[in-house]
Each structure stands twice: as structure tokens, then as C-alpha cells.
Amino acid sequence: MCTLEKQGNVFILTLTGDGEHRLNPSLIDAIRAALNRVRAEVAVGSALITTAQGKFFSNGYDLAWAGSDPARSQLMDSKFKSLVFDLFNLPMPTIAAITGHASAAGFILGMSHDYVLMRKDRGFLYMSEIDIGLKIPAWFVTLVKNKVKSPVAWRDVVMRGTKLTADVAIEHGIVHSAHVGAAETVKEAVKLGEELTARKWDGNVYAHSRRLVFSNVLVALTNESVSRL
């Protein structure tokens, strides 16, 4: 489901295989287990890159697994919120190297990183809930508002289901940089990771600063009463 490797002080977490990397409990648990390993091996001046093989970064929740069972949907929501909470508390800079489509919860997974690099010759960012008739979680919208520059862009992403190419995502302030090809995108993510690790930041101080910047996202994550609009 995923692998974890280390280049110097840069950890690279890769969702493996050619599937859609749908976020079901099994995949979420595997990612969280990898993050636990990262946390156990952290050194002063570390960074994490999350990327994926194949056509998709992640195509969102595994709706086929959830089926019509509310208990399964609630479990998936809860586990994904825990994963995002882990990312926001990870004691190091985080980078998403998006080399394919990132839709719905997959889009949110990417935006839960400090930096987003994107492949510009393939893939798009897409909040699909409006098109498939699902109510979007309120905390998704809170995160979008923190990561997308303007109210017009919020509307287009959340209420029109606009599919964002890398160039458009850069205009909206979502994507840090765009690159041709999957290999080049990951290469540039590693380069950025090495630049960040060279600063030798204290990871706990870094995570504290992130929590302050995104305090409203963390409140939304932990407030069950606003979990869905």
C-alpha cells in the first residue's frame, strides 16, 4: 500500500501500485504507521515527502468500501481526520509531490502538507463532492479557505467542482511549483526537502508554529459538531 524510504534526512512516503489510492481504513492505517516510523526516526533537520505511483495521487474516499453503511463512512471519516491531524502535528516540514489526479479527500490529503509540488503535464486537483452529490465535510472547507487565496477560488473549487491544472493551482496559491513528469516532480520535491532540512529547525518548534498558523483547521478537525455541513 505504501513504502517509506530515507534520503539523508528526507523521508519519502510513496503510495504504491497503479490503482486510485482510495482512502479506506487499510490505506489510512498504513500511512499513519509510516508516519509513526518517521516520528520515531526524526532528527534535527528532517522533512517528509508524500507522493504516489500511477495515474492518481489519490481519488478520495473509498466509496465502494463504505457502500451504504453509515458506520463504515463514519469510520473512514474518523481515520482520515486522525491522519490529517498527524500531518499537522508532524515535527518537520511536509511536502506533497502530486504526480497524478488528486480528488476530494485526495485533494485534502495533498493540501494537508506545508508545500505542494505538482506534475503539470498530467493530473488535476478536484473537489468532486458537488458533482457526485455528497455533502462536503465542513473541515474540508476550512482547510480549503486556508490554502486557497480568494473567495472566488473557494467558490470555484467547492461549489463548481472546477478541476485545477497545475498552472491554475499556482495562480490560486495552492501549488508551490509545477514540473514536467513524475520523476522530475519528485526530484524537485527532494531538492526542496534538502533545502528545508539544511535549516536544521527544531521539529517541535516547527510543529508548534504550524499549529498556530492553522489553529482553526485543528479546531474544525476536533469539533465533531461541525464535521459536516
Side-chain angles (χ1 to χ4, degrees):
M1 287 187 173
C2 65
T3 60
L4 183 67
E5 61 178 306
K6 192 176 182 184
Q7 295 185 20
N9 282 335
V10 178
F11 296 89
I12 304 175
L13 193 164
T14 304
L15 308 185
T16 56
D18 294 327
E20 297 183 7
H21 308 301
R22 290 275 186 172
L23 293 162
N24 54 38
S26 295
L27 178 55
I28 294 170
D29 286 347
I31 297 171
R32 294 191 69 199
L35 294 182
N36 285 337
R37 286 178 52 198
V38 170
R39 197 176 289 107
E41 298 177 24
V42 67
V44 174
S46 295
L48 170 76
I49 296 168
T50 303
T51 190
Q53 297 173 345
K55 183 179 178 181
F56 290 88
F57 177 75
S58 171
N59 205 18
Y61 280 155
D62 190 340
L63 300 178
W65 177 85
S68 58
D69 186 342
R72 283 192 168 194
S73 294
Q74 291 168 9
L75 176 63
M76 199 159 52
D77 284 343
S78 176
K79 283 183 174 289
F80 184 54
K81 288 171 74 174
S82 295
L83 169 57
V84 172
F85 191 83
D86 287 348
L87 286 168
F88 273 92
N89 284 279
L90 201 67
M92 64 188 69
T94 59
I95 304 164
I98 296 180
T99 57
H101 304 308
S103 301
F107 185 7
I108 295 299
L109 176 62
M111 289 203 299
S112 297
H113 293 71
D114 301 323
Y115 301 87
V116 178
L117 277 63
M118 189 173 173
R119 179 177 178 174
K120 65 180 177 180
D121 57 317
R122 174 185 289 180
F124 50 75
L125 306 178
Y126 173 40
M127 294 303 296
S128 60
E129 285 85 353
I130 193 71
D131 288 331
I132 62 177
L134 289 180
K135 291 183 178 180
I136 190 169
W139 71 269
F140 279 25
V141 177
T142 301
L143 181 54
V144 168
K145 285 183 175 181
N146 276 266
K147 297 284 186 167
V148 181
K149 288 194 299 187
S150 75
V152 171
W154 305 343
R155 179 201 64 196
D156 287 351
V157 169
V158 175
M159 298 173 63
R160 297 187 65 182
T162 301
K163 295 179 180 180
L164 306 178
T165 62
D167 290 338
V168 174
I170 286 175
E171 291 177 12
H172 288 327
I174 302 170
V175 169
H176 178 72
S177 60
H179 310 277
V180 176
E184 187 66 19
T185 305
V186 174
K187 178 182 176 182
E188 289 300 316
V190 172
K191 181 178 178 182
L192 174 59
E194 290 172 343
E195 292 173 0
L196 295 170
T197 61
R199 301 293 297 273
K200 299 294 183 182
W201 287 319
D202 181 297
N204 292 322
V205 172
Y206 187 90
H208 173 75
S209 296
R210 185 197 289 121
R211 286 193 296 269
L212 292 178
V213 172
F214 297 105
S215 59
N216 57 338
V217 177
L218 293 173
V219 168
L221 272 171
T222 56
N223 189 347
E224 291 296 329
S225 67
V226 297
S227 64
R228 282 196 180 276
L229 290 171

